[in-house]
Amino acid sequence: MADKHQSRPSSLLAPQYVHGIYIPMGLLLVGTAIVKREWLPYAAVLGALLGGWKVYNNSQQRLSKAIHRRDLFFPLLQRLTGVFSTGVKKVLHPKDFREFALKEKTIISHNVAIYRFSLPSPTSILGLPIGQHISIAAPIPGKKDDVVRSYTPISSDQSPGYFDLLLKSYPTGNISKHMASLQIGQTIKVRGPKGAMVYTPNMVKHFGMIAGGTGITPMLQIVRAIIRGRPRNGGRDTTEVDLIFANVNPEDILLKEDLDQLAKEDDKFRVYYVLNKPPQSWEGGVGFVTVEMMQKHLPAPGPDMKLLICGPPPMVRAMKQATESIGYEKPLKPVSQLGDQVFCF
């Protein structure tokens, strides 16, 4: 029992410290004072060094035992739960297209659906940084080469084994029509990541967002990442987000239930809907997104904010001009860069 007690001292007044450090150090000092008083400072330093080494040695023994217990416990926990599994693998390649099969198709409306594609294994992830997108290639009748378009998944690497795409089919949309024709088990070709935007927690204090139609997808990806990183969820993200989401009809508002639920749960995320053809009882914005709407519902231009825009090309061009007219910084290049105050996907 004495050996067990000695290996785990509970305080600096434990017997092993008294008998192994304090008493020998006291005898050293007394003996030095008797023999030659001028050597006392050197004796004190020597005693302190020896005592420190003794304390350190005891702590290392305790640490070694703790590591040993951990090394016995963690492999068992891995086998039981798989929590610490290292089998997660990123499957995207920035240059080479990889094929993924359609697993599920969820119809949202007559021209909108969520397409779920399987990844090679249940632990596979795309490896797509928040804010970036993927390229999809498909053979189109009448086209010599595959047509390539960019899309942002509405899922994230937090959900391994698959990825989800929200697509709206347009009469003239090559890829969207091709996707709508896919049958379960058929494949698409994907590569990535792509894009200059990579979100990191608290990169700015306040995001403003303007989205139109399926342009909501990169916004939703970032909003979900921000809310996942809130202090209440174990993170440190305190970013505020204000979103203006513009559509034509009420039924065109994609993922409205998801957005409303996020806004209900998080008081730092707010969404303002705008409709070009609203019903009589509509309480949101009416018509196109105006300068007045932007000034009321988005953060003012400043050094610690960023404005994100995504939607149909005519809308993006109009919004860029509007932002310049009310004081937001004009991007230096046609293609948005991460440091731009106004970033267009």
Side-chain angles (χ1 to χ4, degrees), residues 131-171:
Q132 295 202 306
H133 52 269
I134 57 177
S135 293
I136 295 178
I140 304 299
K143 304 286 185 179
K144 180 180 178 181
D145 299 317
D146 285 353
V147 173
V148 180
R149 296 288 183 271
S150 296
Y151 295 94
T152 303
I154 58 172
S155 57
S156 73
D157 289 345
Q158 301 294 315
S159 302
Y162 67 89
F163 67 95
D164 291 340
L165 293 174
L166 174 70
L167 271 71
K168 184 174 184 178
S169 297
Y170 295 94

Side-chain angles (χ1 to χ4, degrees), residues 70-270:
R70 182 205 65 183
D71 289 342
L72 291 175
F73 174 71
F74 277 11
L76 175 62
L77 186 61
Q78 286 179 329
R79 289 193 294 269
L80 291 176
T81 66
V83 171
F84 296 96
S85 173
T86 58
V88 174
K89 182 180 179 181
K90 299 178 182 180
V91 299
L92 279 179
H93 191 281
K95 295 182 179 180
D96 298 334
F97 282 100
R98 305 282 171 82
E99 294 195 8
F100 304 105
L102 181 63
K103 179 181 179 181
E104 298 176 21
K105 182 177 178 180
T106 303
I107 303 299
I108 305 299
S109 68
H110 71 283
N111 63 350
V112 178
I114 296 176
Y115 301 84
R116 174 164 293 184
F117 293 90
S118 296
L119 296 177
S121 75
T123 57
S124 297
I125 59 173
L126 280 177
L128 185 69
I130 299 299
Q132 295 202 306
H133 52 269
I134 57 177
S135 293
I136 295 178
I140 304 299
K143 304 286 185 179
K144 180 180 178 181
D145 299 317
D146 285 353
V147 173
V148 180
R149 296 288 183 271
S150 296
Y151 295 94
T152 303
I154 58 172
S155 57
S156 73
D157 289 345
Q158 301 294 315
S159 302
Y162 67 89
F163 67 95
D164 291 340
L165 293 174
L166 174 70
L167 271 71
K168 184 174 184 178
S169 297
Y170 295 94
T172 57
N174 288 316
I175 294 292
S176 63
K177 288 194 298 182
H178 174 79
M179 295 284 283
S181 69
L182 285 179
Q183 302 298 313
I184 302 300
Q186 290 185 305
T187 62
I188 58 169
K189 292 185 283 188
V190 178
R191 72 181 177 190
K194 290 186 60 181
M197 169 59 68
V198 178
Y199 177 74
T200 54
N202 297 311
M203 63 186 296
V204 293
K205 287 185 177 179
H206 202 158
F207 271 119
M209 299 178 173
I210 305 174
T214 54
I216 192 62
T217 54
M219 311 302 186
L220 182 61
Q221 185 193 54
I222 293 173
V223 169
R224 283 175 170 167
I226 290 172
I227 294 177
R228 273 199 311 271
R230 293 295 195 209
R232 66 176 183 273
N233 297 323
R236 294 183 294 178
D237 204 325
T238 58
T239 309
E240 291 195 56
V241 182
D242 282 284
L243 165 67
I244 295 178
F245 189 17
N247 290 277
V248 178
N249 301 299
E251 57 270 23
D252 296 324
I253 304 176
L254 304 174
L255 303 169
K256 186 175 186 300
E257 291 185 2
D258 298 67
L259 293 167
D260 289 344
Q261 185 62 33
L262 291 171
K264 181 180 178 180
E265 295 173 356
D266 194 284
D267 60 1
K268 290 189 175 182
F269 170 56
R270 297 164 289 270

Side-chain angles (χ1 to χ4, degrees), residues 10-39:
S10 58
S11 75
L12 293 178
L13 295 178
Q16 60 269 33
Y17 288 150
V18 173
H19 297 292
I21 299 176
Y22 307 141
I23 291 177
M25 188 174 179
L27 292 174
L28 174 64
L29 294 176
V30 171
T32 303
I34 294 173
V35 175
K36 195 167 186 175
R37 187 179 296 270
E38 291 82 3
W39 290 355

